[in-house]
Amino acid sequence: SIIPGLIDDLCARATYCENKICTTAILAEIEAIRYTAPVLPTGLLADYPGASAAYSLRNLIDTTTNVVRVRRSSDNTEQDFTAVEITDGTLTTFTGANDGFVAVWYDQSGNGNNAAQATATTQPKIVENGVVLMQNTEPKLNFNGSYFDATGVVSGNPKSIFVVSKWNSSFSGENVMFDSVANNQALFYKDQYGQNLMYLGFGNFTSTSYILTTDVTLYSVMHNGANSNAYVNSTNQILTNTNLGTNSFNGLRIGAVRGTASLFWNGNFQELILYPSDQTANRTGIEDNINTEYTIY
């Protein structure tokens, strides 16, 4: 509550300035006013705002509504689903004992950079034979010759990237986790020998000594416009070249190389967040939030 004496003093000042009479009734009305704090959003994107694009099967901010648009294999009907509806039975009621494929992965950043795939044969799977695909007790999207395009994702440098993904070791060819739609910027890349996770940046190429595993993994890359750092499960990796170049990032392709999409990511995705800024100062906080959700390491 507000101290009545303070109200009297404020009203007296207002009377002096505006030449108005403060009646007892007006004072009572002022005294009865209570401050109501605004309801602030919560979630990873509320704690660490400014993402240019953010995709997940969970709510990255509590203002999110739908996270995916799913096509069912039985008759190709499509429908939007919230994060809760993916696992509470709503999604599988829609698909029945059939498969479900994601046509749109909605951007939760507020920038409208939705990742979409109109071609049914290259849409990632989320339901198989009436069962939601899961990993570490959380839903996942399975990519195997599938990809999304989000052409509205455009940024220069610096930038930061956080990805929750898992590689399928049964595929021995070259894998591209994601790329720029228009430029030579394969952001994550597995060589044809299945040995190294490599990061091809914005004009320059770098590789790490990290050997891919079939475990679900959190990949993070910080690029400040001049130098870069790559992290696997929050552990810094050795880069052969920390200068990734300064090419602009023109469009996002998730799950395949640019152009004819001849190289695909054989595995799955659960989350992908891009910032048009260097998030080094926030990296551990963002990684802790993601790891708490997915129990990665």
Side-chain angles (χ1 to χ4, degrees):
S1 63
I2 303 175
I3 300 172
L6 177 59
I7 290 294
D8 293 341
D9 182 58
L10 292 173
C11 193
R13 292 170 184 248
T15 301
Y16 176 80
C17 295
E18 301 181 23
N19 195 27
K20 293 182 180 179
I21 299 174
C22 274
T23 65
T24 302
I26 292 176
L27 286 173
E29 289 178 5
I30 295 173
E31 187 177 353
I33 294 173
R34 295 293 183 272
Y35 173 73
T36 302
V39 178
L40 300 177
T42 60
L44 188 153
L45 295 181
D47 295 337
Y48 306 99
S52 55
Y55 311 97
S56 183
L57 299 177
R58 63 164 172 152
N59 280 8
L60 295 173
I61 191 167
D62 66 350
T63 54
T64 294
T65 52
N66 299 312
V67 295
V68 289
R69 184 168 185 82
V70 176
R71 175 185 62 84
R72 63 188 180 196
S73 60
S74 58
D75 61 3
N76 294 322
T77 297
E78 295 183 3
Q79 184 172 309
D80 288 338
F81 293 91
T82 66
V84 171
E85 290 172 339
I86 291 175
T87 56
D88 72 356
T90 305
L91 174 56
T92 51
T93 296
F94 169 74
T95 61
N98 303 289
D99 296 338
F101 299 87
V102 175
V104 181
W105 201 1
Y106 289 111
D107 174 23
Q108 298 186 40
S109 73
N111 296 312
N113 291 322
N114 299 330
Q117 178 53 263
T119 303
T121 55
T122 48
Q123 292 172 345
K125 184 182 289 187
I126 191 171
V127 176
E128 186 170 48
N129 298 325
V131 178
V132 175
L133 298 177
M134 303 289 286
Q135 178 175 275
N136 285 21
T137 72
E138 300 289 342
K140 66 179 182 179
L141 297 181
N142 186 51
F143 284 69
N144 185 0
S146 311
Y147 67 93
F148 289 122
D149 279 343
T151 56
V153 179
V154 178
S155 71
N157 293 299
K159 59 178 58 65
S160 302
I161 304 159
F162 300 87
V163 185
V164 178
S165 185
K166 180 178 181 297
W167 174 59
N168 181 357
S169 64
S170 65
F171 186 77
S172 59
E174 296 178 84
N175 279 216
V176 172
M177 188 178 286
F178 59 95
D179 197 357
S180 172
V181 171
N183 297 346
N184 183 10
Q185 299 177 47
L187 301 181
F188 282 102
Y189 174 85
K190 182 198 76 68
D191 72 10
Q192 62 267 39
Y193 306 107
Q195 294 299 309
N196 297 320
L197 175 74
M198 297 184 286
Y199 182 90
L200 176 59
F202 311 100
N204 291 326
F205 173 84
T206 188
S207 65
T208 77
S209 58
Y210 172 72
I211 297 177
L212 285 172
T213 70
T214 57
D215 299 325
V216 57
T217 306
L218 169 58
Y219 304 99
S220 311
V221 173
M222 311 292 110
H223 184 43
N224 64 15
N227 297 297
S228 306
N229 285 290
Y231 302 83
V232 175
N233 294 340
S234 201
T235 300
N236 199 0
Q237 304 298 303
I238 299 174
L239 299 178
T240 58
N241 175 17
T242 61
N243 178 8
L244 298 183
T246 57
N247 286 353
S248 62
F249 187 46
N250 189 2
L252 173 67
R253 173 162 289 176
I254 305 172
V257 75
R258 68 198 174 282
T260 58
S262 56
L263 302 176
F264 299 91
W265 181 249
N266 188 274
N268 58 60
F269 287 99
Q270 291 179 291
E271 197 157 291
L272 191 160
I273 306 170
L274 294 92
Y275 287 89
S277 56
D278 179 11
Q279 291 292 311
T280 296
N282 297 323
R283 178 184 62 82
T284 56
I286 294 172
E287 290 175 337
D288 286 347
N289 179 290
I290 294 172
N291 187 49
T292 297
E293 176 71 17
Y294 297 103
T295 318
I296 301 170
Y297 54 89

Tab-separated table of all heavy atoms in Angstrom, residues 246-281:
chain	number	residue	atom	x	y	z
A	246	THR	N	34.115	-13.995	-43.218
A	246	THR	CA	33.116	-12.953	-42.962
A	246	THR	C	31.956	-12.972	-43.953
A	246	THR	O	31.219	-11.997	-44.061
A	246	THR	CB	33.786	-11.565	-43.003
A	246	THR	OG1	34.422	-11.384	-44.270
A	246	THR	CG2	34.802	-11.417	-41.885
A	247	ASN	N	31.788	-14.062	-44.694
A	247	ASN	CA	30.646	-14.132	-45.609
A	247	ASN	C	29.339	-14.021	-44.838
A	247	ASN	O	29.213	-14.532	-43.728
A	247	ASN	CB	30.643	-15.462	-46.373
A	247	ASN	CG	31.719	-15.505	-47.441
A	247	ASN	OD1	32.372	-14.515	-47.701
A	247	ASN	ND2	31.893	-16.666	-48.044
A	248	SER	N	28.355	-13.373	-45.435
A	248	SER	CA	27.045	-13.274	-44.793
A	248	SER	C	26.337	-14.615	-44.865
A	248	SER	O	26.618	-15.452	-45.725
A	248	SER	CB	26.197	-12.200	-45.472
A	248	SER	OG	25.960	-12.546	-46.828
A	249	PHE	N	25.421	-14.816	-43.945
A	249	PHE	CA	24.644	-16.060	-43.873
A	249	PHE	C	23.319	-15.811	-44.593
A	249	PHE	O	22.484	-15.041	-44.129
A	249	PHE	CB	24.429	-16.421	-42.409
A	249	PHE	CG	23.793	-17.759	-42.202
A	249	PHE	CD1	24.237	-18.863	-42.896
A	249	PHE	CD2	22.759	-17.924	-41.296
A	249	PHE	CE1	23.658	-20.106	-42.708
A	249	PHE	CE2	22.173	-19.160	-41.096
A	249	PHE	CZ	22.626	-20.253	-41.802
A	250	ASN	N	23.127	-16.458	-45.730
A	250	ASN	CA	21.989	-16.172	-46.599
A	250	ASN	C	21.052	-17.368	-46.682
A	250	ASN	O	21.187	-18.229	-47.539
A	250	ASN	CB	22.495	-15.785	-47.992
A	250	ASN	CG	21.390	-15.258	-48.882
A	250	ASN	OD1	20.249	-15.151	-48.453
A	250	ASN	ND2	21.727	-14.931	-50.107
A	251	GLY	N	20.093	-17.415	-45.776
A	251	GLY	CA	19.144	-18.520	-45.761
A	251	GLY	C	19.687	-19.716	-45.002
A	251	GLY	O	20.895	-19.922	-44.911
A	252	LEU	N	18.793	-20.525	-44.448
A	252	LEU	CA	19.171	-21.707	-43.669
A	252	LEU	C	18.549	-22.953	-44.277
A	252	LEU	O	17.344	-22.984	-44.552
A	252	LEU	CB	18.707	-21.546	-42.220
A	252	LEU	CG	18.874	-22.763	-41.316
A	252	LEU	CD1	20.351	-23.066	-41.088
A	252	LEU	CD2	18.179	-22.530	-39.977
A	253	ARG	N	19.361	-23.955	-44.491
A	253	ARG	CA	18.869	-25.274	-44.905
A	253	ARG	C	19.227	-26.260	-43.804
A	253	ARG	O	20.406	-26.502	-43.530
A	253	ARG	CB	19.468	-25.708	-46.231
A	253	ARG	CG	19.122	-27.148	-46.619
A	253	ARG	CD	19.342	-27.403	-48.095
A	253	ARG	NE	18.332	-26.716	-48.889
A	253	ARG	CZ	18.322	-26.707	-50.229
A	253	ARG	NH1	19.271	-27.344	-50.911
A	253	ARG	NH2	17.381	-26.065	-50.879
A	254	ILE	N	18.226	-26.851	-43.181
A	254	ILE	CA	18.428	-27.785	-42.085
A	254	ILE	C	18.378	-29.208	-42.618
A	254	ILE	O	17.362	-29.646	-43.159
A	254	ILE	CB	17.350	-27.607	-40.997
A	254	ILE	CG1	17.303	-26.170	-40.492
A	254	ILE	CG2	17.586	-28.572	-39.841
A	254	ILE	CD1	16.140	-25.883	-39.565
A	255	GLY	N	19.476	-29.940	-42.494
A	255	GLY	CA	19.480	-31.352	-42.845
A	255	GLY	C	20.085	-31.691	-44.188
A	255	GLY	O	20.105	-32.857	-44.570
A	256	ALA	N	20.604	-30.698	-44.915
A	256	ALA	CA	21.171	-30.991	-46.237
A	256	ALA	C	22.065	-29.852	-46.691
A	256	ALA	O	22.031	-28.752	-46.142
A	256	ALA	CB	20.069	-31.228	-47.261
A	257	VAL	N	22.855	-30.141	-47.741
A	257	VAL	CA	23.708	-29.134	-48.337
A	257	VAL	C	22.864	-28.234	-49.234
A	257	VAL	O	21.761	-28.596	-49.659
A	257	VAL	CB	24.855	-29.804	-49.129
A	257	VAL	CG1	24.349	-30.386	-50.449
A	257	VAL	CG2	26.000	-28.841	-49.363
A	258	ARG	N	23.392	-27.049	-49.524
A	258	ARG	CA	22.703	-26.086	-50.392
A	258	ARG	C	22.572	-26.650	-51.811
A	258	ARG	O	23.053	-27.728	-52.135
A	258	ARG	CB	23.512	-24.796	-50.437
A	258	ARG	CG	24.818	-24.971	-51.151
A	258	ARG	CD	25.822	-23.899	-50.878
A	258	ARG	NE	27.093	-24.254	-51.521
A	258	ARG	CZ	27.939	-25.143	-51.025
A	258	ARG	NH1	27.656	-25.765	-49.900
A	258	ARG	NH2	29.060	-25.418	-51.660
A	259	GLY	N	21.916	-25.894	-52.679
A	259	GLY	CA	21.810	-26.259	-54.093
A	259	GLY	C	20.909	-27.451	-54.303
A	259	GLY	O	19.726	-27.437	-53.959
A	260	THR	N	21.454	-28.518	-54.828
A	260	THR	CA	20.655	-29.693	-55.177
A	260	THR	C	20.413	-30.621	-53.998
A	260	THR	O	19.787	-31.668	-54.156
A	260	THR	CB	21.350	-30.493	-56.292
A	260	THR	OG1	22.663	-30.876	-55.846
A	260	THR	CG2	21.488	-29.658	-57.553
A	261	ALA	N	20.888	-30.269	-52.831
A	261	ALA	CA	20.697	-31.078	-51.619
A	261	ALA	C	21.152	-32.521	-51.832
A	261	ALA	O	20.450	-33.474	-51.532
A	261	ALA	CB	19.230	-31.045	-51.188
A	262	SER	N	22.373	-32.667	-52.353
A	262	SER	CA	22.894	-34.002	-52.643
A	262	SER	C	23.490	-34.680	-51.414
A	262	SER	O	23.634	-35.909	-51.387
A	262	SER	CB	23.967	-33.910	-53.728
A	262	SER	OG	24.998	-33.012	-53.337
A	263	LEU	N	23.834	-33.911	-50.411
A	263	LEU	CA	24.384	-34.468	-49.171
A	263	LEU	C	23.423	-34.160	-48.034
A	263	LEU	O	23.025	-33.009	-47.845
A	263	LEU	CB	25.756	-33.870	-48.881
A	263	LEU	CG	26.823	-34.057	-49.959
A	263	LEU	CD1	28.103	-33.323	-49.576
A	263	LEU	CD2	27.094	-35.524	-50.211
A	264	PHE	N	23.055	-35.174	-47.272
A	264	PHE	CA	22.051	-35.032	-46.229
A	264	PHE	C	22.626	-35.402	-44.862
A	264	PHE	O	23.635	-36.097	-44.764
A	264	PHE	CB	20.838	-35.927	-46.522
A	264	PHE	CG	20.143	-35.606	-47.808
A	264	PHE	CD1	20.498	-36.231	-48.985
A	264	PHE	CD2	19.115	-34.672	-47.825
A	264	PHE	CE1	19.846	-35.938	-50.173
A	264	PHE	CE2	18.460	-34.369	-48.998
A	264	PHE	CZ	18.833	-35.006	-50.178
A	265	TRP	N	21.939	-34.948	-43.816
A	265	TRP	CA	22.257	-35.362	-42.458
A	265	TRP	C	21.477	-36.622	-42.154
A	265	TRP	O	20.250	-36.645	-42.243
A	265	TRP	CB	21.899	-34.273	-41.455
A	265	TRP	CG	22.217	-34.639	-40.034
A	265	TRP	CD1	21.321	-34.898	-39.036
A	265	TRP	CD2	23.516	-34.775	-39.457
A	265	TRP	NE1	21.990	-35.184	-37.865
A	265	TRP	CE2	23.345	-35.115	-38.101
A	265	TRP	CE3	24.821	-34.636	-39.949
A	265	TRP	CZ2	24.424	-35.321	-37.233
A	265	TRP	CZ3	25.890	-34.847	-39.093
A	265	TRP	CH2	25.679	-35.180	-37.748
A	266	ASN	N	22.179	-37.695	-41.835
A	266	ASN	CA	21.529	-38.945	-41.492
A	266	ASN	C	21.496	-39.053	-39.979
A	266	ASN	O	22.466	-39.460	-39.339
A	266	ASN	CB	22.283	-40.138	-42.094
A	266	ASN	CG	21.516	-41.429	-41.924
A	266	ASN	OD1	21.635	-42.083	-40.898
A	266	ASN	ND2	20.731	-41.784	-42.921
A	267	GLY	N	20.391	-38.654	-39.396
A	267	GLY	CA	20.264	-38.623	-37.947
A	267	GLY	C	19.017	-37.867	-37.561
A	267	GLY	O	18.016	-37.919	-38.273
A	268	ASN	N	19.050	-37.156	-36.443
A	268	ASN	CA	17.858	-36.434	-36.030
A	268	ASN	C	18.214	-35.079	-35.439
A	268	ASN	O	19.373	-34.784	-35.166
A	268	ASN	CB	17.032	-37.256	-35.044
A	268	ASN	CG	17.809	-37.637	-33.797
A	268	ASN	OD1	18.275	-36.765	-33.073
A	268	ASN	ND2	17.968	-38.930	-33.555
A	269	PHE	N	17.174	-34.273	-35.264
A	269	PHE	CA	17.283	-32.972	-34.609
A	269	PHE	C	16.205	-32.863	-33.538
A	269	PHE	O	15.098	-33.391	-33.696
A	269	PHE	CB	17.066	-31.822	-35.601
A	269	PHE	CG	18.199	-31.600	-36.550
A	269	PHE	CD1	18.151	-32.101	-37.844
A	269	PHE	CD2	19.307	-30.862	-36.175
A	269	PHE	CE1	19.186	-31.888	-38.732
A	269	PHE	CE2	20.348	-30.641	-37.057
A	269	PHE	CZ	20.285	-31.151	-38.348
A	270	GLN	N	16.544	-32.176	-32.467
A	270	GLN	CA	15.551	-31.835	-31.455
A	270	GLN	C	15.467	-30.328	-31.238
A	270	GLN	O	14.410	-29.817	-30.864
A	270	GLN	CB	15.869	-32.539	-30.126
A	270	GLN	CG	15.668	-34.056	-30.187
A	270	GLN	CD	16.012	-34.741	-28.887
A	270	GLN	OE1	17.177	-34.809	-28.503
A	270	GLN	NE2	15.015	-35.258	-28.198
A	271	GLU	N	16.585	-29.640	-31.488
A	271	GLU	CA	16.598	-28.200	-31.239
A	271	GLU	C	17.708	-27.537	-32.044
A	271	GLU	O	18.785	-28.120	-32.225
A	271	GLU	CB	16.805	-27.948	-29.745
A	271	GLU	CG	16.451	-26.558	-29.271
A	271	GLU	CD	16.140	-26.557	-27.767
A	271	GLU	OE1	15.093	-27.123	-27.375
A	271	GLU	OE2	16.938	-26.014	-27.000
A	272	LEU	N	17.422	-26.325	-32.521
A	272	LEU	CA	18.405	-25.561	-33.270
A	272	LEU	C	18.114	-24.075	-33.050
A	272	LEU	O	17.015	-23.609	-33.341
A	272	LEU	CB	18.321	-25.912	-34.759
A	272	LEU	CG	19.440	-25.422	-35.688
A	272	LEU	CD1	19.444	-26.248	-36.964
A	272	LEU	CD2	19.276	-23.948	-36.044
A	273	ILE	N	19.093	-23.346	-32.502
A	273	ILE	CA	18.913	-21.931	-32.191
A	273	ILE	C	20.077	-21.147	-32.778
A	273	ILE	O	21.236	-21.527	-32.596
A	273	ILE	CB	18.845	-21.689	-30.671
A	273	ILE	CG1	17.770	-22.569	-30.032
A	273	ILE	CG2	18.574	-20.218	-30.370
A	273	ILE	CD1	17.791	-22.562	-28.513
A	274	LEU	N	19.756	-20.057	-33.485
A	274	LEU	CA	20.778	-19.198	-34.065
A	274	LEU	C	20.633	-17.784	-33.525
A	274	LEU	O	19.525	-17.252	-33.454
A	274	LEU	CB	20.659	-19.165	-35.597
A	274	LEU	CG	20.951	-20.464	-36.339
A	274	LEU	CD1	19.663	-21.251	-36.534
A	274	LEU	CD2	21.581	-20.182	-37.697
A	275	TYR	N	21.768	-17.200	-33.162
A	275	TYR	CA	21.812	-15.807	-32.722
A	275	TYR	C	22.674	-15.000	-33.696
A	275	TYR	O	23.758	-15.470	-34.088
A	275	TYR	CB	22.436	-15.692	-31.329
A	275	TYR	CG	21.570	-16.167	-30.198
A	275	TYR	CD1	21.601	-17.497	-29.783
A	275	TYR	CD2	20.724	-15.288	-29.511
A	275	TYR	CE1	20.815	-17.945	-28.724
A	275	TYR	CE2	19.943	-15.723	-28.449
A	275	TYR	CZ	19.991	-17.043	-28.071
A	275	TYR	OH	19.212	-17.477	-27.023
A	276	PRO	N	22.259	-13.799	-34.057
A	276	PRO	CA	23.107	-12.940	-34.900
A	276	PRO	C	24.072	-12.132	-34.042
A	276	PRO	O	24.263	-10.923	-34.258
A	276	PRO	CB	22.070	-12.048	-35.592
A	276	PRO	CG	21.002	-11.878	-34.561
A	276	PRO	CD	20.931	-13.197	-33.817
A	277	SER	N	24.673	-12.794	-33.081
A	277	SER	CA	25.550	-12.128	-32.119
A	277	SER	C	26.458	-13.165	-31.477
A	277	SER	O	26.188	-14.365	-31.514
A	277	SER	CB	24.725	-11.419	-31.035
A	277	SER	OG	23.846	-12.339	-30.395
A	278	ASP	N	27.523	-12.699	-30.874
A	278	ASP	CA	28.433	-13.576	-30.145
A	278	ASP	C	27.859	-13.804	-28.749
A	278	ASP	O	27.788	-12.894	-27.933
A	278	ASP	CB	29.812	-12.923	-30.062
A	278	ASP	CG	30.820	-13.769	-29.297
A	278	ASP	OD1	30.515	-14.937	-29.007
A	278	ASP	OD2	31.907	-13.242	-28.985
A	279	GLN	N	27.456	-15.037	-28.470
A	279	GLN	CA	26.839	-15.380	-27.189
A	279	GLN	C	27.824	-16.045	-26.220
A	279	GLN	O	27.413	-16.801	-25.338
A	279	GLN	CB	25.645	-16.302	-27.431
A	279	GLN	CG	24.468	-15.643	-28.103
A	279	GLN	CD	23.801	-14.617	-27.215
A	279	GLN	OE1	23.505	-14.898	-26.052
A	279	GLN	NE2	23.556	-13.420	-27.747
A	280	THR	N	29.106	-15.739	-26.376
A	280	THR	CA	30.116	-16.346	-25.502
A	280	THR	C	29.805	-16.096	-24.033
A	280	THR	O	29.934	-16.995	-23.187
A	280	THR	CB	31.505	-15.799	-25.844
A	280	THR	OG1	31.846	-16.183	-27.182
A	280	THR	CG2	32.553	-16.350	-24.886
A	281	ALA	N	29.380	-14.884	-23.702
A	281	ALA	CA	29.099	-14.549	-22.299
A	281	ALA	C	27.906	-15.337	-21.760
A	281	ALA	O	27.822	-15.586	-20.547
A	281	ALA	CB	28.844	-13.056	-22.161
